[in-house]
Each structure stands twice: as structure tokens, then as C-alpha cells.
């Protein structure tokens, strides 16, 4: 089993920045794909980024340039640095993981097909 815990969410004004963290524990040696997705009330789940064990990082086109994902294997953590935040970025942000290697296809992330996910951290951006 793999356990994911997100942190770092909060309230920020438009134009501000936040850094989300995802702490991973459990059978992490078998994790080959990690990612972030978000979901706002009344809206569908939206894939934000995917990172695979080969070192590839994929971003949703609409978020490129503002969001940066990274991993620290020594700390068993994944991060999402968000800059120039906009009100439309307001959502619950979740990290997810899977033992299968992933590519830039966000359909699995958005459909909830990744095997493990955290409880989420709320990001609220006020204009």
C-alpha cells in the first residue's frame, strides 16, 4: 500500500504563490508514476501534472509556465510550486500515485484510475 498526504494549501491573493507538498509512505519503491490533479466545486477533475520514474514531467497545457512540479526521492516527497495564481486555480488539489509507468496522458489521472491518492489540500485564490 502507498499512503499520500498533501500539505501546503491555503488562501492567497491573485498573483501570489503557493507550494504544495505530497509526502509518500508505504511501498514507495514500486511507485513509477505520480501526479497532481485538482477539482473545484461543480467542476470535473483536472489533471495538473504527471511525473514518471524516468524523470519525465508533463503539464497541462493551460498551466505551463505557472506551475512547476518536482520530486525529492530522498525525502519521499513531491512538490507543486504554483506562481501567479488566479482565481480559477481555486480547487482542492490531490496528489496521486501508481505502480504503472505513465506518460503524458492525463486521462487516467482525471478519471481516478491511478491506484493511490491523498485526501487533498484546499487552495483558494481571491481576486
Amino acid at each position: 500500500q502507498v499512503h499520500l498526504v498533501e500539505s501546503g494549501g491555503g488562501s492567497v491573493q491573485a498573483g501570489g504563490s503557493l507550494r504544495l507538498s505530497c509526502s509518500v509512505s508505504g511501498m514507495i519503491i514500486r511507485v513509477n508514476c505520480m501526479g497532481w490533479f485538482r477539482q473545484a466545486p461543480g467542476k470535473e477533475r483536472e489533471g495538473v501534472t504527471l511525473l514518471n520514474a524516468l524523470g519525465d514531467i508533463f503539464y497541462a497545457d493551460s498551466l505551463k509556465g505557472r506551475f512547476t512540479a518536482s520530486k525529492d526521492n530522498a525525502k519521499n516527497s513531491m512538490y507543486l510550486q504554483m506562481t501567479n495564481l488566479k482565481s480559477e486555480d481555486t480547487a482542492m488539489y490531490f496528489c496521486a500515485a501508481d505502480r504503472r509507468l505513465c506518460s503524458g496522458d492525463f486521462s487516467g489521472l482525471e478519471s481516478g484510475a491511478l491506484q493511490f491518492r491523498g485526501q487533498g489540500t484546499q487552495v483558494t485564490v481571491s481576486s
Side-chain angles (χ1 to χ4, degrees):
Q1 189 67 293
V2 174
H3 301 282
L4 307 172
V5 179
E6 302 93 338
S7 61
S11 297
V12 64
Q13 289 190 330
S17 300
L18 280 175
R19 188 192 192 212
L20 306 183
S21 299
C22 176
S23 177
V24 186
S25 62
M27 295 294 288
I28 56 177
I29 193 171
R30 295 186 179 183
V31 170
N32 290 300
C33 174
M34 295 189 69
W36 291 92
F37 66 92
R38 64 187 186 182
Q39 189 161 23
K43 295 187 177 180
E44 294 187 352
R45 195 175 295 172
E46 179 184 15
V48 174
T49 183
L50 282 168
L51 303 82
N52 66 23
L54 300 178
D56 301 316
I57 303 178
F58 306 93
Y59 296 96
D61 288 340
S62 61
L63 300 176
K64 287 179 181 177
R66 294 196 299 121
F67 287 19
T68 303
S70 61
K71 284 192 302 180
D72 187 334
N73 293 329
K75 295 184 178 180
N76 297 328
S77 294
M78 177 177 65
Y79 307 98
L80 184 66
Q81 178 69 48
M82 306 184 294
T83 61
N84 191 21
L85 284 161
K86 305 175 181 180
S87 57
E88 52 263 42
D89 295 319
T90 295
M92 186 74 81
Y93 284 71
F94 299 86
C95 65
D98 202 292
R99 294 193 176 102
R100 297 164 291 184
L101 189 66
C102 54
S103 62
D105 182 355
F106 280 56
S107 60
L109 184 62
E110 294 175 340
S111 66
L114 267 64
Q115 293 169 313
F116 311 103
R117 54 169 273 188
Q119 294 299 308
T121 185
Q122 177 68 38
V123 171
T124 303
V125 184
S126 57
S127 56

